Structures are given as structure tokens and as C-alpha cells.
Amino acid sequence: MHPHSHSAAALPGLKAGLILLSSLTLGLVLSACGGGGGGSSSTDSGGTGESAAGVTTFAMTPTLSGVAAVGAPLSNAQIKVIDAAGAAVGSATTQPSDGSYSLSLSSKSLKGPLLIQTSGLDSSGSPQVLHSIVPILDATKPAMVAHVTPLSQAIVALSLGSEPQAVFASAAASAALIAPAASAASAAGEFVKTLIKTQLTDLKITNTATLNLLSDASFAANKSVQDLLLEVLRVQVARSNKGVDQLLISNKLQPTAVPEVVVGLAAAQTELVKTTGGLPANAISSSLKLASTSKATLDNLASLDELSAGLNNLIAQGKLAADFSASALLGTYESHNAGSKADLAARLAAYAANKRQLGRLMVLGCADDVLTAGLCKRVMVAATVSDSSGAVLEYFSDAATFTKAAAPATTGGKWSLIGNARKLDINVYPVSVLDLAADGAVNSATKPNPWVGIQVEMQAQTSAATPVKLLDTATVQMPSGYSIPFAYCSRPLLCISYTPGATRVTPIGSIADSALQQSAIGWLGSAESQRGAKFVAAYTSGGAAETRSVFLPADVPADTARSRFPSLDAVTATAPLKAAALRDGFTINYATWAAANPDMRLISVRTLLTGGFVPLLVDNAPPLPPKTAVALPGLSLPNPLTLSAEIWLGAQDMQGRRFYTRYALQAE
């Protein structure tokens, strides 16, 4: 629905890593001589093609193929290809099983470089928009390869000097930015390798010169060596709250969300395009110059997909809940966000009854509070759940553990599900809220509009058909030291309490139940608004007191364009949203917004009526993309309607930032 400080075990190798970084940077300077690396780079797609600034003509129809993956494949993702002039030259959809794609380009004459964009949902349901590049076109090599991964995204971002999505969206007007990317891509690929040198060493990739992060024909999203790079690294391209486009790289298994390596994209690209003497390492603003290691965990990850394959085997046999519960694949299972082993077994049995299957597992992070010698004992994993057509119907997430083979064996072992052993789920998100009138106009009475803040989601009930209350109260301490009280409000999540000491409160029904507005609460400052900010929740559940640390996944945006907020089609001054329509029900559409924001996903739709004794609220789950319509069922309402009616739309982007839009419906 989505960065870390190094462990003590990683520190001994840091000095050696910095020395190696210096030597690699020297090599990068030498390779930059003569135009940024040209045709001999390991990231080139060909060696003798015409100038990337000109047009290359192929004797036969050129083709493009590759794999879109973030560790696990990106299933059913959309692929779009443009040339340096911004012209669309091809599109495709990735295969559900392995994320591969293949297409014939629409012209034999192409202006390089080619830019590739993939958009879809990863195995956790989080939106992903990633890019790749074919930097040099070669008329003698019409069969081109371009993989689309977080590492290819890093290379493209460094080559462009900015976030690639905006350039791709306005490519015709951005030709001056695209052209230099051809010559910078080679050096950018080599620079990225210096930032992930620890992981390359862990995976025994000793000859980095032959490592091709863009077009290795042998690459597959199957826990191969290069795929494992994607599993253990968190690679993001993001704009800071100061408006600086940055490349952020971290060890994904570290428990915090603070980026380890931070690179300014514009500063790095300035160095990468220099014909001589380019030093992209000068653009690193973090104290660390390469990501830390979790080698003890990485050594076991190659066999992780055996776990999903084993579960699928049981599912295909139509096993019952008792069979799953007795399986060694759940042998050491404890609990996961208050869910029991029996709950998990019942869910897997439902997959069997409905002929579902799990996709390849993707590593999300680590549920351990602290890594010990680089070992994560509870690896957070996720997988798609699909039918026989390959259509993804839902997402599965849990925690897995690796058990070593019994002596006298010195290697080997098995993965099984174990759960995160948490009594409840807790998350914090940067949030921004836009308040609109029934006709879509900005509500001038709300100031500021939009407003920003922090959303805190604390699980209050089990997810069973008949929910069970997990706790009465909790507090969340912010980085500044101030604490906010929460209380049970008969909803799936705790509500912010405005009555100190209360164990039960009435929900407001709006975002105010869980979101703290920065402009209204003086306790919220810059410390609470930065990526990696630490929030500490304290509560008592099942008679035992517990504290949990959670981390903000991204900076709170300082300035948010209105186009980022979810909006409904066909809402105008002459066609406003009317409260009376709620009686019969109606369908809302958001196709225009979804098309303009492929890196976002609508996650919630709520109808809210206030003015009575308690707020009346109805939540409707939006469908998975590419669907862009939600049918709101009719409601039994008094006539005339004396209650105020609102529709709330919630969306989340690929960094974990949340955007909410409130529509105040027109009264009768």
C-alpha cells in the first residue's frame, strides 16, 4: 500500500568499502573521458550504433524485450516506450508469471535514446512507476533488451539529473534533457555499482565490469544473483521537502527508514556528462557512501521462492485448514498482527477452495527490532494472489523465517511462515488533505487548503468476520517528545482522543480520526516531517504492556500540486455532487486522475453523513487498477435529508505518502 541505519555488524567493512569506492570513482573518472562512457560500457545496448542525437534506421523491424521486477516480477504491468523526440514507439503488458515483456517497435527509424516506463502494482499492492533506457541504438542489433527495475530507475534518474516520470510525461518538451542521458547512462551505471558494492561483494560478483544492470539477457526475477540485489536494496528516487530530486539507497532489511546513501540527482548528472574529470561521488550528501549489508540473511534468500511453491502445491491439492496448520511450512508459526496460525491456515484453505495461487515472494523488510550480525529472523514478505488467468485478485503478506539444516549438514535449510509476532499493526504516513465543494471548487473556508500532517494508523480490532477489540487506549510519542492519546472508537483503527484518559470515544468519521494537522498542532515540527522520523507507540494488549517504534516512510511534502489529489470525473458547476443521489446510489469515476498519476493508487472511498447523534459512515473498497470506478450502494436516508454529506477519497503513492480529497455534497 509501499531505508535504514547500518547495523554494528556492517561497520567493520565500511572502511574497506570507502577505500574501494575511492578506487571505483577513479575508474569512473577515467571511463568518463571522451563523452561519458560511450559504446564500451556494460550498460550499453550496442556498441557501434549511430549517434544517439541522430536517427538510427534498422533494416528490419526492431524489437524490445526485458523483465519488469522489484525482486518479485511486476505482473500485468503496463510498458510504454518513447524515443528521444518524445514519440510513442511501442507498448506492451508484462506477463503475470515472470514480469517479462516483448514488443515490436512501431518504426524502423528511431531517434535514440529510447526511454521505457513500466507502471503497475508490486506484490504488496503498492504502486510502482519505474524507468529504463536503451542509451545507444545500433542498426546492426535490432533485438534490444531493457529491464525495468529500481536499479534501472536509478541509472535513468542519474542520467537525466531529475525524477524520470515528469520527463517521460512531457518528453516532447524535454528533448534537451533526454539527449544527454545517452552519454551519461554508462557512467551512471558504473556509479550505481559503487553505491551497492557491499551487496555485490556479498553476492560474490567480483567482476563488476561485466555486470549489466540494464540489459543482461540472462536476468530473470527468480531469486537469481542480480534479482537478489533488488530484494535486499531499497532504491528510491524522490523529491525532498526542500524540492531537491534525490537518489536514495539503503539496506532494505535495516529497521529504520532513514536513507543510508543520498545523492543529489542534478549535481551527479553535472559530473556524469563531463568529458573529463567527472566526480559524481561529490553529489553524495550522506555520511555513508554505500549501503550496509545483511549478508547472513542474503545467504539464504535464493531459496525463498521454495516457500510459495510449497504452499501452492498444497493449495493445488485442495488441502483444508487442518492440513495447512499441520504443514511444516507453518510449523513454527506464532502470530501476525494479532492473527493466529488458525487464521492463516483458514486463509490458505480459502485459496485452495477458490483455485487461487501465490506469486513469487517479494522481500518487504524485517520485522525484527534489531538485526544481529546481519541476520533477520522474521523477513517480511508479500505475494500476489491470482486466478488461473493470471488476474491478481488480492495480496498476501506475512513474515518468513529460515531454519538451517540439521547437523551434520553445513549448508541448506528451509523457509517457513512464522508471522511478525506483533499484537497489532501500526503505521505512520505523511498526509495531505484537499477540501473541495460539491462542484469541485476549492473550499475557501478551509485554511490552509490543502493542509499537511501525519496520519497514524493503529489496529484496534482483529480482521475476523466478527472483529474482536484488541485494546482500549494507546499513546504515540513524536520525535519532538510530545505524545498524542488514542482510544477505542468501535472502528478497525484507534481514533485520536480529545479527552485525556478516555478509553472509548466517538469517531468523527473524517481524516481527523487518525491525522494530525501540522498547521493546527504546534507539537508537529520539522522533526516529525522528515523521512525516517521515529514515532513510538505505547499500549497494553492482552494484559501485557508493549512499545513499538515506527518510522515515517517519506518526507511530508512542502508543496503539493492539486493534480496529485484524487478527483472525480464529470464533477462541475453544472453537475455538482448532490446528497440526494445517495438514496439511489451512483457510480463514481476517477479515470482522468488515475491516468495522470500512474504512481498512485486509490485506496479508500468513504461516504460520511454528520449532524446526527453519531456520524454515519460507509466504506467502499476501490477496485484494483486498471479499473477506475466504484459503485456506491443506495442508503436508507430520511426525506428531507437534514444531515451533511461528504465523500472522502484516499490515495497513496509509491513512497507511502497519502493524499485525501473531501467533497462536500450539495444539500437538498
Side-chain angles (χ1 to χ4, degrees), residues 113-444:
L114 302 182
L115 289 184
I116 302 94
Q117 176 177 280
T118 185
S119 55
L121 301 180
D122 66 20
S123 297
S124 68
S126 297
Q128 296 288 334
V129 174
L130 302 172
H131 300 82
S132 190
I133 187 171
V134 179
I136 306 297
L137 305 187
D138 186 341
T140 67
K141 298 179 179 179
M144 294 173 276
V145 176
H147 304 305
V148 194
T149 71
L151 289 173
S152 74
Q153 171 86 343
I155 292 171
V156 174
L158 288 165
S159 302
L160 293 172
S162 63
E163 202 284 320
Q165 185 177 336
V167 174
F168 194 95
S170 60
S174 304
L177 296 176
I178 297 174
S183 58
S186 170
E190 296 305 312
F191 179 48
V192 167
K193 293 176 193 178
T194 70
L195 306 178
I196 60 173
K197 179 58 182 175
T198 303
Q199 283 69 31
L200 297 179
T201 300
D202 290 345
L203 290 166
K204 298 181 173 59
I205 302 176
T206 55
N207 186 0
T208 59
T210 62
L211 176 63
N212 189 330
L213 297 176
L214 291 179
S215 57
D216 182 348
S218 67
F219 172 70
N222 60 358
K223 303 300 183 289
S224 58
V225 169
Q226 195 173 142
D227 188 47
L228 288 175
L229 278 175
L230 307 178
E231 291 285 20
V232 297
L233 287 167
R234 179 168 283 108
V235 181
Q236 295 178 306
V237 174
R239 176 163 294 181
S240 72
N241 54 16
K242 296 182 180 179
V244 178
D245 285 346
Q246 298 174 326
L247 171 63
L248 311 173
I249 298 181
S250 295
N251 173 356
K252 188 190 289 186
L253 295 170
Q254 287 290 351
T256 76
V258 178
E260 292 182 310
V261 182
V262 180
V263 183
L265 292 179
Q269 196 247 15
T270 298
E271 298 297 317
L272 291 168
V273 297
K274 288 182 178 179
T275 56
T276 59
L279 293 172
N282 288 346
I284 301 174
S285 59
S286 53
S287 56
L288 287 180
K289 308 303 178 185
L290 67 167
S292 65
T293 181
S294 295
K295 186 178 185 303
T297 306
L298 178 57
D299 287 344
N300 302 323
L301 285 179
S303 61
L304 179 60
D305 284 333
E306 293 177 5
L307 174 54
S308 54
L311 291 170
N312 282 338
N313 187 31
L314 297 176
I315 290 170
Q317 295 177 53
K319 296 294 187 180
L320 302 178
D323 301 312
F324 283 102
S325 186
S327 168
L329 299 178
L330 276 64
T332 59
Y333 199 84
E334 297 177 22
S335 65
H336 189 79
N337 295 335
S340 66
K341 183 178 182 178
D343 294 331
L344 174 60
R347 183 178 182 183
L348 294 171
Y351 294 162
N354 292 286
K355 299 179 181 179
R356 309 291 189 239
Q357 289 272 284
L358 298 171
R360 291 185 180 275
L361 292 171
M362 179 181 75
V363 175
L364 299 177
C366 183
D368 300 346
D369 291 328
V370 179
L371 290 179
T372 303
L375 178 64
C376 175
K377 298 179 181 178
R378 300 175 189 270
V379 178
M380 297 296 298
V381 296
T384 57
V385 181
S386 61
D387 61 18
S388 59
S389 73
V392 176
L393 304 177
E394 60 177 292
Y395 298 92
F396 174 85
S397 63
D398 213 291
T401 192
F402 185 80
T403 303
K404 291 184 178 181
T410 57
T411 60
K414 295 289 184 180
W415 285 93
S416 62
L417 294 175
I418 190 172
N420 61 10
R422 302 295 193 189
K423 295 177 180 176
L424 59 144
D425 192 24
I426 307 173
N427 294 284
V428 292
Y429 304 96
V431 66
S432 190
V433 181
L434 179 66
D435 189 359
L436 301 179
D439 60 359
V442 175
N443 187 345
S444 59

Side-chain angles (χ1 to χ4, degrees), residues 561-582:
R562 179 175 172 178
S563 61
R564 298 292 283 169
F565 293 91
S567 60
L568 299 178
D569 293 344
V571 175
T572 64
T574 56
L577 293 169
K578 297 182 178 180
L582 295 175

Side-chain angles (χ1 to χ4, degrees), residues 16 80 153 178 187 306 308 349 356 406 513 530 600 602 652:
K80 296 181 180 179
Q153 171 86 343
I178 297 174
E306 293 177 5
S308 54
R356 309 291 189 239
D513 280 330
Q530 296 179 4
M600 302 183 74
L602 198 71
Q652 184 168 317

